[in-house]
PDB file of all heavy atoms in Angstrom:
ATOM      1  N   GLY A   1     146.105 136.583 -55.997  1.00 98.00           N
ATOM      2  CA  GLY A   1     144.984 137.514 -55.955  1.00 98.00           C
ATOM      3  C   GLY A   1     144.564 137.759 -54.529  1.00 98.00           C
ATOM      4  O   GLY A   1     144.889 138.800 -53.944  1.00 98.00           O
ATOM      5  N   TYR A   2     143.872 136.813 -53.923  1.00 98.00           N
ATOM      6  CA  TYR A   2     143.254 136.993 -52.615  1.00 98.00           C
ATOM      7  C   TYR A   2     144.234 137.494 -51.550  1.00 98.00           C
ATOM      8  O   TYR A   2     143.907 138.374 -50.765  1.00 98.00           O
ATOM      9  CB  TYR A   2     142.632 135.660 -52.183  1.00 98.00           C
ATOM     10  CG  TYR A   2     141.830 135.714 -50.913  1.00 98.00           C
ATOM     11  CD1 TYR A   2     140.803 136.626 -50.719  1.00 98.00           C
ATOM     12  CD2 TYR A   2     142.085 134.793 -49.879  1.00 98.00           C
ATOM     13  CE1 TYR A   2     140.055 136.639 -49.550  1.00 98.00           C
ATOM     14  CE2 TYR A   2     141.327 134.785 -48.731  1.00 98.00           C
ATOM     15  CZ  TYR A   2     140.318 135.720 -48.561  1.00 98.00           C
ATOM     16  OH  TYR A   2     139.586 135.722 -47.400  1.00 98.00           O
ATOM     17  N   ALA A   3     145.426 136.942 -51.551  1.00 98.00           N
ATOM     18  CA  ALA A   3     146.405 137.349 -50.525  1.00 98.00           C
ATOM     19  C   ALA A   3     146.765 138.819 -50.638  1.00 98.00           C
ATOM     20  O   ALA A   3     147.084 139.458 -49.629  1.00 98.00           O
ATOM     21  CB  ALA A   3     147.659 136.491 -50.625  1.00 98.00           C
ATOM     22  N   LEU A   4     146.735 139.367 -51.847  1.00 98.00           N
ATOM     23  CA  LEU A   4     147.042 140.792 -52.006  1.00 98.00           C
ATOM     24  C   LEU A   4     146.087 141.644 -51.200  1.00 98.00           C
ATOM     25  O   LEU A   4     146.455 142.710 -50.700  1.00 98.00           O
ATOM     26  CB  LEU A   4     146.940 141.193 -53.476  1.00 98.00           C
ATOM     27  CG  LEU A   4     147.926 140.560 -54.456  1.00 98.00           C
ATOM     28  CD1 LEU A   4     147.589 141.011 -55.871  1.00 98.00           C
ATOM     29  CD2 LEU A   4     149.355 140.916 -54.103  1.00 98.00           C
ATOM     30  N   TYR A   5     144.863 141.176 -51.054  1.00 98.00           N
ATOM     31  CA  TYR A   5     143.808 141.956 -50.428  1.00 98.00           C
ATOM     32  C   TYR A   5     143.613 141.632 -48.942  1.00 98.00           C
ATOM     33  O   TYR A   5     142.624 142.024 -48.339  1.00 98.00           O
ATOM     34  CB  TYR A   5     142.504 141.749 -51.207  1.00 98.00           C
ATOM     35  CG  TYR A   5     142.701 142.051 -52.679  1.00 98.00           C
ATOM     36  CD1 TYR A   5     142.882 141.034 -53.604  1.00 98.00           C
ATOM     37  CD2 TYR A   5     142.778 143.365 -53.134  1.00 98.00           C
ATOM     38  CE1 TYR A   5     143.119 141.305 -54.942  1.00 98.00           C
ATOM     39  CE2 TYR A   5     143.011 143.650 -54.474  1.00 98.00           C
ATOM     40  CZ  TYR A   5     143.179 142.614 -55.373  1.00 98.00           C
ATOM     41  OH  TYR A   5     143.418 142.893 -56.703  1.00 98.00           O
ATOM     42  N   GLY A   6     144.600 140.939 -48.383  1.00 98.00           N
ATOM     43  CA  GLY A   6     144.588 140.668 -46.945  1.00 98.00           C
ATOM     44  C   GLY A   6     143.993 139.346 -46.553  1.00 98.00           C
ATOM     45  O   GLY A   6     143.951 139.014 -45.362  1.00 98.00           O
ATOM     46  N   GLY A   7     143.517 138.564 -47.526  1.00 98.00           N
ATOM     47  CA  GLY A   7     142.980 137.249 -47.214  1.00 98.00           C
ATOM     48  C   GLY A   7     144.094 136.285 -46.838  1.00 98.00           C
ATOM     49  O   GLY A   7     145.242 136.423 -47.293  1.00 98.00           O
ATOM     50  N   ASN A   8     143.767 135.304 -46.015  1.00 98.00           N
ATOM     51  CA  ASN A   8     144.782 134.368 -45.523  1.00 98.00           C
ATOM     52  C   ASN A   8     145.032 133.269 -46.550  1.00 98.00           C
ATOM     53  O   ASN A   8     144.153 132.427 -46.789  1.00 98.00           O
ATOM     54  CB  ASN A   8     144.325 133.743 -44.204  1.00 98.00           C
ATOM     55  CG  ASN A   8     145.432 132.923 -43.545  1.00 98.00           C
ATOM     56  OD1 ASN A   8     146.519 132.781 -44.112  1.00 98.00           O
ATOM     57  ND2 ASN A   8     145.158 132.401 -42.370  1.00 98.00           N
ATOM     58  N   PRO A   9     146.228 133.218 -47.160  1.00 98.00           N
ATOM     59  CA  PRO A   9     146.538 132.149 -48.108  1.00 98.00           C
ATOM     60  C   PRO A   9     146.942 130.845 -47.422  1.00 98.00           C
ATOM     61  O   PRO A   9     147.120 129.835 -48.096  1.00 98.00           O
ATOM     62  CB  PRO A   9     147.719 132.725 -48.899  1.00 98.00           C
ATOM     63  CG  PRO A   9     148.420 133.606 -47.899  1.00 98.00           C
ATOM     64  CD  PRO A   9     147.334 134.184 -47.026  1.00 98.00           C
ATOM     65  N   THR A  10     147.091 130.888 -46.096  1.00 97.00           N
ATOM     66  CA  THR A  10     147.485 129.695 -45.330  1.00 97.00           C
ATOM     67  C   THR A  10     146.452 129.472 -44.224  1.00 97.00           C
ATOM     68  O   THR A  10     146.729 129.716 -43.054  1.00 97.00           O
ATOM     69  CB  THR A  10     148.886 129.880 -44.719  1.00 97.00           C
ATOM     70  OG1 THR A  10     148.870 131.066 -43.892  1.00 97.00           O
ATOM     71  CG2 THR A  10     149.933 130.069 -45.806  1.00 97.00           C
ATOM     72  N   PRO A  11     145.236 129.036 -44.564  1.00 94.00           N
ATOM     73  CA  PRO A  11     144.165 128.977 -43.573  1.00 94.00           C
ATOM     74  C   PRO A  11     144.407 128.026 -42.411  1.00 94.00           C
ATOM     75  O   PRO A  11     143.705 128.115 -41.401  1.00 94.00           O
ATOM     76  CB  PRO A  11     142.951 128.543 -44.401  1.00 94.00           C
ATOM     77  CG  PRO A  11     143.480 128.008 -45.679  1.00 94.00           C
ATOM     78  CD  PRO A  11     144.788 128.685 -45.909  1.00 94.00           C
ATOM     79  N   THR A  12     145.394 127.155 -42.513  1.00 91.00           N
ATOM     80  CA  THR A  12     145.725 126.279 -41.372  1.00 91.00           C
ATOM     81  C   THR A  12     146.740 126.925 -40.449  1.00 91.00           C
ATOM     82  O   THR A  12     147.140 126.318 -39.460  1.00 91.00           O
ATOM     83  CB  THR A  12     146.253 124.926 -41.869  1.00 91.00           C
ATOM     84  OG1 THR A  12     147.429 125.153 -42.674  1.00 91.00           O
ATOM     85  CG2 THR A  12     145.208 124.211 -42.706  1.00 91.00           C
ATOM     86  N   ALA A  13     147.161 128.140 -40.752  1.00 94.00           N
ATOM     87  CA  ALA A  13     148.154 128.848 -39.927  1.00 94.00           C
ATOM     88  C   ALA A  13     147.763 130.320 -39.841  1.00 94.00           C
ATOM     89  O   ALA A  13     146.777 130.767 -40.444  1.00 94.00           O
ATOM     90  CB  ALA A  13     149.556 128.690 -40.534  1.00 94.00           C
ATOM     91  N   ALA A  14     148.548 131.070 -39.091  1.00 95.00           N
ATOM     92  CA  ALA A  14     148.286 132.507 -38.951  1.00 95.00           C
ATOM     93  C   ALA A  14     148.410 133.207 -40.299  1.00 95.00           C
ATOM     94  O   ALA A  14     149.192 132.801 -41.162  1.00 95.00           O
ATOM     95  CB  ALA A  14     149.260 133.117 -37.946  1.00 95.00           C
ATOM     96  N   ASN A  15     147.636 134.259 -40.458  1.00 96.00           N
ATOM     97  CA  ASN A  15     147.641 135.012 -41.716  1.00 96.00           C
ATOM     98  C   ASN A  15     148.929 135.817 -41.844  1.00 96.00           C
ATOM     99  O   ASN A  15     149.213 136.679 -41.012  1.00 96.00           O
ATOM    100  CB  ASN A  15     146.442 135.957 -41.761  1.00 96.00           C
ATOM    101  CG  ASN A  15     146.250 136.588 -43.121  1.00 96.00           C
ATOM    102  OD1 ASN A  15     147.083 136.463 -44.010  1.00 96.00           O
ATOM    103  ND2 ASN A  15     145.131 137.301 -43.292  1.00 96.00           N
ATOM    104  N   PRO A  16     149.738 135.555 -42.891  1.00 97.00           N
ATOM    105  CA  PRO A  16     150.990 136.298 -43.057  1.00 97.00           C
ATOM    106  C   PRO A  16     150.821 137.646 -43.774  1.00 97.00           C
ATOM    107  O   PRO A  16     151.794 138.374 -43.927  1.00 97.00           O
ATOM    108  CB  PRO A  16     151.835 135.356 -43.913  1.00 97.00           C
ATOM    109  CG  PRO A  16     150.826 134.650 -44.762  1.00 97.00           C
ATOM    110  CD  PRO A  16     149.601 134.478 -43.900  1.00 97.00           C
ATOM    111  N   MET A  17     149.593 137.962 -44.190  1.00 98.00           N
ATOM    112  CA  MET A  17     149.384 139.173 -44.984  1.00 98.00           C
ATOM    113  C   MET A  17     148.875 140.315 -44.111  1.00 98.00           C
ATOM    114  O   MET A  17     148.254 140.108 -43.074  1.00 98.00           O
ATOM    115  CB  MET A  17     148.370 138.903 -46.107  1.00 98.00           C
ATOM    116  CG  MET A  17     148.607 137.629 -46.909  1.00 98.00           C
ATOM    117  SD  MET A  17     150.333 137.327 -47.423  1.00 98.00           S
ATOM    118  CE  MET A  17     150.637 138.751 -48.469  1.00 98.00           C
ATOM    119  N   ARG A  18     149.124 141.530 -44.575  1.00 97.00           N
ATOM    120  CA  ARG A  18     148.620 142.710 -43.887  1.00 97.00           C
ATOM    121  C   ARG A  18     147.148 142.912 -44.204  1.00 97.00           C
ATOM    122  O   ARG A  18     146.716 142.714 -45.340  1.00 97.00           O
ATOM    123  CB  ARG A  18     149.405 143.949 -44.315  1.00 97.00           C
ATOM    124  CG  ARG A  18     150.752 144.091 -43.635  1.00 97.00           C
ATOM    125  CD  ARG A  18     151.521 145.317 -44.133  1.00 97.00           C
ATOM    126  NE  ARG A  18     150.737 146.553 -44.070  1.00 97.00           N
ATOM    127  CZ  ARG A  18     151.238 147.749 -44.374  1.00 97.00           C
ATOM    128  NH1 ARG A  18     152.503 147.849 -44.772  1.00 97.00           N
ATOM    129  NH2 ARG A  18     150.490 148.843 -44.288  1.00 97.00           N
ATOM    130  N   PRO A  19     146.330 143.324 -43.215  1.00 97.00           N
ATOM    131  CA  PRO A  19     144.929 143.601 -43.516  1.00 97.00           C
ATOM    132  C   PRO A  19     144.792 144.798 -44.440  1.00 97.00           C
ATOM    133  O   PRO A  19     145.562 145.755 -44.355  1.00 97.00           O
ATOM    134  CB  PRO A  19     144.314 143.882 -42.141  1.00 97.00           C
ATOM    135  CG  PRO A  19     145.481 144.303 -41.290  1.00 97.00           C
ATOM    136  CD  PRO A  19     146.666 143.551 -41.801  1.00 97.00           C
ATOM    137  N   VAL A  20     143.796 144.750 -45.311  1.00 98.00           N
ATOM    138  CA  VAL A  20     143.614 145.782 -46.315  1.00 98.00           C
ATOM    139  C   VAL A  20     142.331 146.574 -46.109  1.00 98.00           C
ATOM    140  O   VAL A  20     142.274 147.753 -46.439  1.00 98.00           O
ATOM    141  CB  VAL A  20     143.626 145.147 -47.724  1.00 98.00           C
ATOM    142  CG1 VAL A  20     143.204 146.133 -48.808  1.00 98.00           C
ATOM    143  CG2 VAL A  20     145.024 144.600 -48.040  1.00 98.00           C
ATOM    144  N   ILE A  21     141.309 145.940 -45.548  1.00 98.00           N
ATOM    145  CA  ILE A  21     140.051 146.651 -45.401  1.00 98.00           C
ATOM    146  C   ILE A  21     139.563 146.631 -43.958  1.00 98.00           C
ATOM    147  O   ILE A  21     139.955 145.785 -43.153  1.00 98.00           O
ATOM    148  CB  ILE A  21     138.933 146.052 -46.302  1.00 98.00           C
ATOM    149  CG1 ILE A  21     138.530 144.660 -45.822  1.00 98.00           C
ATOM    150  CG2 ILE A  21     139.350 146.071 -47.746  1.00 98.00           C
ATOM    151  CD1 ILE A  21     137.226 144.176 -46.428  1.00 98.00           C
ATOM    152  N   ALA A  22     138.699 147.595 -43.662  1.00 98.00           N
ATOM    153  CA  ALA A  22     137.951 147.632 -42.410  1.00 98.00           C
ATOM    154  C   ALA A  22     136.542 148.085 -42.746  1.00 98.00           C
ATOM    155  O   ALA A  22     136.344 148.925 -43.642  1.00 98.00           O
ATOM    156  CB  ALA A  22     138.583 148.581 -41.397  1.00 98.00           C
ATOM    157  N   LEU A  23     135.560 147.514 -42.074  1.00 98.00           N
ATOM    158  CA  LEU A  23     134.159 147.850 -42.315  1.00 98.00           C
ATOM    159  C   LEU A  23     133.484 148.130 -40.984  1.00 98.00           C
ATOM    160  O   LEU A  23     133.552 147.304 -40.062  1.00 98.00           O
ATOM    161  CB  LEU A  23     133.467 146.695 -43.038  1.00 98.00           C
ATOM    162  CG  LEU A  23     131.973 146.889 -43.363  1.00 98.00           C
ATOM    163  CD1 LEU A  23     131.767 148.067 -44.295  1.00 98.00           C
ATOM    164  CD2 LEU A  23     131.401 145.597 -43.978  1.00 98.00           C
ATOM    165  N   ALA A  24     132.867 149.297 -40.879  1.00 98.00           N
ATOM    166  CA  ALA A  24     132.236 149.682 -39.628  1.00 98.00           C
ATOM    167  C   ALA A  24     130.965 150.486 -39.921  1.00 98.00           C
ATOM    168  O   ALA A  24     130.818 151.078 -40.999  1.00 98.00           O
ATOM    169  CB  ALA A  24     133.184 150.518 -38.778  1.00 98.00           C
ATOM    170  N   ALA A  25     130.054 150.478 -38.950  1.00 98.00           N
ATOM    171  CA  ALA A  25     128.786 151.187 -39.142  1.00 98.00           C
ATOM    172  C   ALA A  25     128.326 151.748 -37.808  1.00 98.00           C
ATOM    173  O   ALA A  25     128.484 151.129 -36.764  1.00 98.00           O
ATOM    174  CB  ALA A  25     127.728 150.244 -39.708  1.00 98.00           C
TER     175      ALA A  25
END
């Protein structure tokens, strides 16, 4: 689930997933 949305499934290492969201104001 979480990894699909860009969350890091390996928090002790670099995130292997592509970012999915950006938030700006």
Side-chain angles (χ1 to χ4, degrees):
Y2 186 53
L4 296 176
Y5 306 100
N8 189 357
T10 58
T12 59
N15 190 352
M17 314 314 298
R18 282 178 51 176
V20 170
I21 68 165
L23 180 62

